[in-house]
Amino acid sequence: MSKSSQSLKGLRQFLDIEQQAAWLEGRAEPADVEERHDSIEQRMKYAPRFQKLLRRPQASGLFEILELYGRSCIPIPRATERAYWSVSCLPSTSDKPLVRVNASWMELFTLYADGDDLRARFIVHLSDLTPGGVLVPEAVDAALLEQCVREPGDVSWSSPEGPDLSIVKIRGMASIGDFLAADPAVRIIRRFNLTHMNRGRNAYQASHSYSVADYMLGEGAR
């Protein structure tokens, strides 16, 4: 990495604005590194939690969804793993998620148990859900979201007051998979992820689970 690239923040160290825009729109897939920067100590730290996750009835579907998310929604994931995005395994938060993906100081994507099924929470830009990018929660294009899931009732959304944020919730493995395979949804997710991966180094590196990340990078055991 050159000295000039080191002076840049976030993804700009790896991909310039034009390259990021091409990835965002699905026009190019930037080359990733071949070797990951793994840490045996970090991997072993969360091994007991990972073994507990493996015993959950949702594990198989969860790993399929995570692989789809890693392939579709994070640019150059191997080069940026842990330093610019991370995934936590059974994090100790009050909402009791199974896994959570973060970048910078922001949650990006969370999966929860819903009986033996799954539900998901995506954080995205409100302006990507409304006509003309207006920051009006009531203007969210419901049809846009509903066309990206199996059944219209599988998706809901809300927008907290303040910044350009919206929370999209998806119910069921089938609809979560459909959402992550729908071009409009992937573009919305990618734009938010770019925003936060460009803000600087990830604040949640200490909670990164390499074992879960294996599946996001297509390297998990089958």
Side-chain angles (χ1 to χ4, degrees):
M1 192 179 296
S2 69
K3 185 176 292 186
S4 60
S5 66
Q6 289 178 352
S7 66
L8 299 172
K9 288 178 60 177
L11 282 176
R12 298 178 188 88
Q13 298 176 68
F14 308 94
L15 304 172
D16 61 30
I17 297 302
E18 289 74 20
Q19 290 171 316
Q20 291 185 34
W23 175 79
L24 171 65
E25 297 297 333
R27 293 184 281 106
E29 190 62 43
D32 203 352
V33 298
E34 294 183 4
E35 297 292 329
R36 297 164 64 191
H37 294 289
D38 205 334
S39 164
I40 297 301
E41 294 81 3
Q42 181 79 8
R43 184 178 287 272
M44 294 306 295
K45 179 180 179 181
Y46 291 105
R49 290 194 189 188
F50 179 68
Q51 291 301 315
K52 186 176 180 180
L53 180 66
L54 285 176
R55 295 193 291 270
R56 298 296 297 257
Q58 307 87 357
S60 177
L62 177 144
F63 290 136
E64 290 181 10
I65 287 169
L66 283 176
E67 182 173 350
L68 182 55
Y69 185 90
R71 184 172 65 245
S72 302
C73 302
I74 298 178
I76 51 170
R78 288 177 176 80
T80 55
E81 182 182 5
R82 191 177 177 189
Y84 294 96
W85 67 270
S86 63
V87 59
S88 53
C89 180
L90 299 174
S92 301
T93 54
S94 59
D95 54 338
K96 299 182 179 180
L98 298 176
V99 295
R100 174 169 287 142
V101 180
N102 291 91
S104 184
W105 291 91
M106 178 61 67
E107 170 192 338
L108 304 179
F109 172 55
T110 304
L111 286 170
Y112 301 90
D114 188 10
D116 287 347
D117 208 334
L118 292 170
R119 55 189 173 90
R121 180 169 70 192
F122 297 85
I123 312 296
V124 299
H125 288 303
L126 172 61
S127 56
D128 286 328
L129 303 181
T130 61
V134 298
L135 298 179
V136 180
E138 294 76 17
V140 166
D141 187 344
L144 171 68
L145 293 173
E146 290 171 352
Q147 73 181 11
C148 296
V149 295
R150 192 66 54 96
E151 298 289 341
D154 290 342
V155 61
S156 61
W157 55 92
S158 61
S159 299
E161 293 184 8
D164 182 11
L165 294 177
S166 191
I167 300 169
V168 176
K169 297 180 179 180
I170 311 290
R171 182 183 63 196
M173 295 181 193
S175 277
I176 298 168
D178 286 356
F179 196 72
L180 287 169
D183 288 343
V186 169
R187 211 160 31 242
I188 288 166
I189 296 166
R190 286 184 173 191
R191 192 184 302 277
F192 188 82
N193 291 2
L194 284 176
T195 295
H196 292 279
M197 291 179 73
N198 274 317
R199 288 190 169 173
R201 294 178 72 83
N202 174 32
Y204 297 90
Q205 295 184 45
S207 64
H208 184 57
S209 170
Y210 280 99
S211 297
V212 176
D214 290 345
Y215 288 87
M216 293 182 67
L217 298 172
E219 298 177 5
R222 298 299 182 192

